Amino acid sequence: MVSLNPVQIFNAGAEEEKAETARLSSFVGAIAIGDLVKSTLGPKGMDKILQSSGGIEVTNDGATILKSIGIDNPAAKILVDISKVQDDEVGDGTTSVVVLASELLRESESLISQKIHPQTIISGWRKATDEARRALQNFARDNGNNETKFREDLMNIARTTLSSKILTQYKDYFANLAVDAVLRLKGSGNLDAIHLIKKSGGGLQDSYLDEGFLLDKKIGVNQPKRIENAKILIANTPMDTDKVKVFGTKVKVDAVSKVAELELAEKEKMRDKVNKIIKHGCNVFINRQLIYNYPEQLFADAGVMAIEHADFEGVERLALVTGGEIASTFDSPDHVRLGKCNVIEEVMIGEDKLIKFSGVEMGEACTIVLRGATKQILDEAERSLHDALCVLTQTVKETKTVFGGGSSEMLMADAVSKLAAKIPGKEAVAMESYAKALRMLPTTIADNAGYDSAQLVSELRALHTAGKHTMGLK
């Protein structure tokens, strides 16, 4: 006998959505995400204040905003992932990709209500994507072989990126700073060689680019404050076992003097470890972990500069720029590669002391010191400058450039509309909706600036139809 009882595959209380209901839910969630970040798009885009357990952030960076909100809608989560990928791969344009994707979904909702099948829409959009890409590639300009013009391209790209950020008041200053830093990389594209340090105090215009590497630490007590021709041993090893931690350890002894003997044994172990480190021929020892007073004193007696508790990213970056390796054992000095630099000295920035490494082996290494009034300003300035550095690095690899201000979107929309006019069938309707979604980007930029978007975008459309593809919003 066959049982006809349905099998329950969902958890108790789970909800199930199917067909039109599920599709509508996806549309609503994704469009809501687009509307959330839409107001931050463009040079006049507004910042958002994000409050969380970690404190307050003020930002208009799309990826940062979307990372900070809790979402349970699957379509909306996909848009968040799109912004993350854009941030990782390109650095900027995180808001643009989300707004474009949400506008495409808004258009598709309208097409679905007209009983156009999703596969027909997708087919039309694929043709539209190919045509838009072709139009963009044909119009792109390449000044990679002309050093002067290429630097001007980089400056314009940096200005465009910074125009929508907190640094817009000083965009020329920071654009120049970012371009100088990226051109030092000599095409390697290794952004790890550019170190960003935030120091509160002063104004944003007090920020500057410093050659070499700055480590946000102090030199130990009684250590040399300046060393030339430095040979640096970078380590991640415990240097805090010169005392028996009686309060955290159960020690059973016949007399108190035995504890002293234990401590002496610990000190001897530490002395042996320090001697092994010194045998590497280094005159600078930088450790990821703490260095207690006794080993610090031993290093000072040997004339070795000891720097403790260097943050992990700082140590990784330092190993990269000085050409050294991070060591954790010291029995084989021949197998450990020391870092090198010409001069190590202590410098003052604002009220803080930092350690400056000049003449490092990786000559392109540099540090950007950001100054600002508050933590929120400094954090947003760091995000803004990081976006500019990422975009410039990508431009150095792929030297083709296109115009901004909605010009490229209108160019692509014009090409798609012209192709749609030649294609019979429902695919043409989908392609027209694709062009409409592209036009929503300059529309949003104009809306955020308080202008009449309907008037401006219709004028732009007429100009691009007439072949004036360099026209955009300014």
Side-chain angles (χ1 to χ4, degrees), residues 213-271:
F213 183 85
L214 287 169
L215 187 64
D216 196 359
K217 289 291 162 187
K218 294 179 184 176
I219 294 171
V221 180
N222 294 326
Q223 310 285 326
K225 298 298 180 188
R226 177 187 169 91
I227 283 188
E228 295 184 6
N229 298 319
K231 296 172 183 172
I232 308 162
L233 177 58
I234 304 165
N236 184 11
T237 186
M239 300 292 288
D240 57 353
T241 52
D242 57 321
K243 295 177 184 175
V244 175
K245 299 172 180 67
V246 176
F247 297 108
T249 312
K250 188 174 182 180
V251 181
K252 195 172 184 179
V253 292
D254 299 331
V256 176
S257 59
K258 297 290 185 183
V259 178
E261 287 179 24
L262 281 170
E263 285 204 345
L264 189 61
E266 290 289 325
K267 279 194 169 186
E268 284 303 314
K269 278 173 63 181
M270 182 53 66
R271 181 189 290 274

Side-chain angles (χ1 to χ4, degrees), residues 244-306:
V244 175
K245 299 172 180 67
V246 176
F247 297 108
T249 312
K250 188 174 182 180
V251 181
K252 195 172 184 179
V253 292
D254 299 331
V256 176
S257 59
K258 297 290 185 183
V259 178
E261 287 179 24
L262 281 170
E263 285 204 345
L264 189 61
E266 290 289 325
K267 279 194 169 186
E268 284 303 314
K269 278 173 63 181
M270 182 53 66
R271 181 189 290 274
D272 290 343
K273 189 171 187 177
V274 171
N275 286 337
K276 283 182 181 179
I277 290 169
I278 292 170
K279 280 180 183 175
H280 284 69
C282 62
N283 53 8
V284 179
F285 177 69
I286 300 175
N287 193 26
R288 167 71 183 82
Q289 302 179 43
L290 290 169
I291 303 175
Y292 271 28
N293 294 348
Y294 180 63
E296 191 174 57
Q297 176 191 332
L298 294 175
F299 282 123
D301 292 343
V304 174
M305 179 191 289

Side-chain angles (χ1 to χ4, degrees), residues 117-395:
H117 195 277
Q119 289 294 354
T120 306
I121 298 171
I122 291 166
S123 176
W125 281 3
R126 282 186 175 143
K127 288 179 180 177
T129 302
D130 292 340
E131 180 65 16
R133 187 186 292 116
R134 186 196 60 75
L136 203 59
Q137 287 175 340
N138 289 344
F139 191 67
R141 301 183 178 191
D142 191 348
N143 290 320
N145 296 323
N146 187 322
E147 193 174 321
T148 307
K149 285 187 177 179
F150 185 57
R151 183 184 171 87
E152 189 54 40
D153 281 348
L154 291 177
M155 284 292 293
N156 287 331
I157 289 166
R159 287 190 195 105
T160 302
T161 302
L162 296 172
S163 289
S164 61
K165 313 287 185 184
I166 196 172
L167 301 177
T168 182
Q169 290 174 292
Y170 314 105
K171 64 183 176 186
D172 285 333
Y173 179 77
F174 280 97
N176 198 52
L177 192 145
V179 169
D180 286 344
V182 167
L183 289 179
R184 281 180 63 89
L185 299 179
K186 299 168 187 170
S188 72
N190 189 355
L191 276 180
D192 287 333
I194 302 174
H195 188 30
L196 284 171
I197 286 183
K198 298 174 288 184
K199 282 292 165 191
S200 57
L204 285 168
Q205 70 273 23
D206 295 325
S207 305
Y208 63 93
L209 177 69
D210 203 337
E211 292 186 2
F213 183 85
L214 287 169
L215 187 64
D216 196 359
K217 289 291 162 187
K218 294 179 184 176
I219 294 171
V221 180
N222 294 326
Q223 310 285 326
K225 298 298 180 188
R226 177 187 169 91
I227 283 188
E228 295 184 6
N229 298 319
K231 296 172 183 172
I232 308 162
L233 177 58
I234 304 165
N236 184 11
T237 186
M239 300 292 288
D240 57 353
T241 52
D242 57 321
K243 295 177 184 175
V244 175
K245 299 172 180 67
V246 176
F247 297 108
T249 312
K250 188 174 182 180
V251 181
K252 195 172 184 179
V253 292
D254 299 331
V256 176
S257 59
K258 297 290 185 183
V259 178
E261 287 179 24
L262 281 170
E263 285 204 345
L264 189 61
E266 290 289 325
K267 279 194 169 186
E268 284 303 314
K269 278 173 63 181
M270 182 53 66
R271 181 189 290 274
D272 290 343
K273 189 171 187 177
V274 171
N275 286 337
K276 283 182 181 179
I277 290 169
I278 292 170
K279 280 180 183 175
H280 284 69
C282 62
N283 53 8
V284 179
F285 177 69
I286 300 175
N287 193 26
R288 167 71 183 82
Q289 302 179 43
L290 290 169
I291 303 175
Y292 271 28
N293 294 348
Y294 180 63
E296 191 174 57
Q297 176 191 332
L298 294 175
F299 282 123
D301 292 343
V304 174
M305 179 191 289
I307 301 164
E308 67 170 356
H309 215 210
D311 61 287
F312 189 72
E313 188 184 346
V315 166
E316 289 276 344
R317 203 186 296 267
L318 188 62
L320 172 74
V321 300
T322 59
E325 289 179 347
I326 299 173
S328 54
T329 57
F330 310 99
D331 294 319
S332 306
D334 296 340
H335 297 157
V336 176
R337 196 166 80 219
L338 300 180
K340 295 176 184 176
C341 83
N342 294 341
V343 180
I344 298 178
E345 58 189 339
E346 208 168 53
V347 294
M348 289 283 292
I349 297 178
E351 297 178 355
D352 298 329
K353 289 182 180 178
L354 291 88
I355 304 166
K356 182 177 179 180
F357 296 75
S358 304
V360 292
E361 189 162 296
M362 188 186 229
E364 55 263 37
C366 59
T367 302
I368 296 174
V369 181
L370 287 173
R371 308 300 308 280
T374 66
K375 179 181 179 296
Q376 286 81 12
I377 287 175
L378 282 171
D379 288 345
E380 181 66 357
E382 182 188 26
R383 284 189 288 268
S384 304
L385 200 56
H386 180 263
D387 285 2
L389 291 170
C390 288
V391 172
L392 291 174
T393 307
Q394 292 292 328
T395 310

Side-chain angles (χ1 to χ4, degrees), residues 51-71:
Q51 186 171 6
S52 64
S53 56
I56 292 174
E57 279 185 314
V58 181
T59 182
N60 73 349
D61 182 63
T64 305
I65 294 167
L66 294 178
K67 272 189 278 188
S68 306
I69 56 176
I71 299 167

